[in-house]
């Protein structure tokens, strides 16, 4: 027969095992942070995602179904009682510090402008969530796609273009995505900037890689430079691939999916590396 002391010891042991098994309660403040949390944190540990976690341009949107979508405010966060809050840009400027003062650990995802930076941030967030093996798996997947895509376009030139008429030069993740597939970036210069519509019409690039042109943005960008009738006719003949916002909206391991999509559009070896 079990004594009361034995029963109590059994209960304490069971409670101890439950506490060890339970991970930290995790809350995400914005759509980019959502992707990391959904990929790395056990579903049972997620107590809040951003309101945009299940939008069409969220890469991990399928995983967001059924999870609580909350606002990026101190009231919403504290009501969910998280142990860890993950953010990139979500919430007001002083929110992170306000949460830290209340004992909540805030994991800030830093901007990454190349795949090495993405690997670093993926490992760092995974470690903070107690999931280093899951982080390594994502990095291996990314590296595998990059290795398979390397040199596909053999140095052919292309210009990245958004519906708003912007392009991306050196020092951007878009540049790393293009170069990862063997393309030379025709944007020149550094960073993001607008492209002259007149110059695009008079001196059209030989090839274009579109970004954010999917239907979800059409209503917002209906009158933007990227949807100019003349430019659209040029793009119809010269676009190599159109990258959806879910692949290029946030710097993450799946940015390599964008590189793989560009590489898949490359002509077979022995054929011209330039579009007609």
């Amino acid at each position: 027969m079990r004594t009361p002391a034995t029963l109590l010891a059994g209960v304490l042991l069971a409670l101890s095992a439950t506490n060890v098994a339970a991970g930290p309660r995790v809350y995400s403040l914005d759509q980019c942070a959502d992707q990391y949390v959904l990929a790395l944190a056990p579903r049972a540990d997620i107590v809040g995602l951003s309101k945009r976690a299940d939008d069409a341009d969220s890469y991990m949107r399928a995983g967001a179904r059924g999870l609580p979508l909350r606002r990026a405010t101190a009231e919403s966060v504290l009501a969910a009682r998280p142990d860890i809050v993950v953010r990139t840009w979500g919430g007001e400027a002083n929110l992170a510090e306000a949460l830290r003062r209340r004992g909540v650990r805030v994991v800030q995802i830093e901007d990454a402008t190349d795949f090495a930076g993405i690997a670093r941030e993926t490992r760092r967030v995974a470690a903070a969530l107690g999931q280093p093996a899951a982080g390594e798996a994502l990095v291996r997947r990314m590296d595998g796609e990059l290795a398979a895509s390397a040199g596909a376009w053999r140095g052919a030139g292309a210009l990245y273009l958004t519906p708003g008429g912007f392009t991306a030069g050196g020092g951007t993740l878009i540049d790393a995505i293009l170069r990862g597939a063997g393309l030379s970036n025709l944007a020149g210069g550094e960073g993001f900037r607008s492209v002259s519509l007149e110059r695009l019409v008079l001196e059209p690039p030989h090839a274009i890689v579109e970004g954010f042109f999917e239907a979800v943005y059409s209503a917002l960008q209906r009158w933007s430079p990227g949807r100019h009738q003349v430019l659209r006719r040029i793009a119809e003949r010269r676009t190599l691939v159109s990258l959806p916002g879910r692949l290029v909206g946030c710097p993450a391991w799946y940015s390599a999916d964008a590189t793989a999509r560009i590489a898949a559009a490359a002509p077979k070896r022995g054929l011209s590396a330039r579009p007609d």
Side-chain angles (χ1 to χ4, degrees):
M1 174 181 284
R2 294 186 178 182
T3 66
T6 303
L7 290 173
L8 179 58
V11 170
L12 292 176
L13 182 61
L15 290 174
S16 176
T18 300
N19 289 335
V20 169
R25 294 166 60 85
V26 183
Y27 193 114
S28 168
L29 289 181
D30 53 73
Q31 191 185 48
C32 289
D34 292 336
Q35 313 311 310
Y36 283 83
V37 168
L38 285 166
L40 293 169
R43 187 175 178 86
D45 295 344
I46 300 174
V47 297
L49 298 169
S50 82
K51 292 288 189 177
R52 291 189 57 193
D54 62 350
D55 283 1
D57 60 340
S58 172
Y59 183 82
M60 299 289 294
R61 64 189 179 281
R65 294 179 189 135
L67 291 173
L69 307 185
R70 306 181 189 274
R71 295 179 299 158
T73 64
E75 293 79 7
S76 293
V77 174
L78 294 173
R81 297 182 295 107
D83 300 303
I84 297 176
V85 166
V86 183
R87 75 182 294 268
T88 50
W89 42 264
E92 296 181 356
N94 61 350
L95 176 58
E97 185 55 36
L99 293 174
R100 290 189 182 101
R101 287 199 302 269
R102 291 176 178 265
V104 180
R105 182 181 180 188
V106 179
V107 178
Q108 174 70 50
I109 302 175
E110 302 300 334
D111 188 30
T113 57
D114 56 28
F115 289 104
I118 290 175
R120 180 190 65 244
E121 291 305 296
T122 301
R123 290 184 173 117
R124 194 170 62 81
V125 176
L129 297 179
Q131 302 293 328
E136 286 301 322
L138 293 180
V139 172
R140 283 196 303 271
R141 176 197 152 184
M142 179 183 75
D143 288 345
E145 285 194 294
L146 293 175
S149 303
W153 277 96
R154 307 194 295 281
L159 179 73
Y160 175 76
L161 186 66
T162 71
F166 282 82
T167 190
T172 65
L173 183 55
I174 293 297
D175 181 65
I177 288 171
L178 297 179
R179 289 187 290 104
L183 284 173
S184 297
N185 189 350
L186 297 180
E190 297 288 314
F192 294 93
R193 64 182 182 281
S194 61
V195 181
S196 164
L197 178 61
E198 291 76 13
R199 182 174 179 182
L200 285 172
V201 173
L202 294 174
E203 303 175 20
H206 193 75
I208 293 172
V209 172
E210 294 180 341
F212 297 99
F213 272 81
E214 67 267 35
V216 68
Y217 292 95
S218 61
L220 298 175
Q221 303 286 356
R222 188 172 299 164
W223 305 111
S224 63
R227 295 190 182 279
H228 190 282
Q229 199 171 40
V230 175
L231 184 55
R232 292 311 304 152
R233 285 200 293 268
I234 295 172
E236 285 173 6
R237 298 193 304 271
R238 300 171 186 267
T239 295
L240 305 180
V241 65
S242 187
L243 301 174
R246 67 180 181 276
L247 294 187
V248 292
C250 298
W253 68 96
Y254 53 80
S255 299
D257 293 7
T259 293
R261 188 171 294 201
I262 296 171
K268 301 295 184 182
R269 188 174 298 278
L271 299 180
S272 170
R274 295 178 177 274
D276 293 332

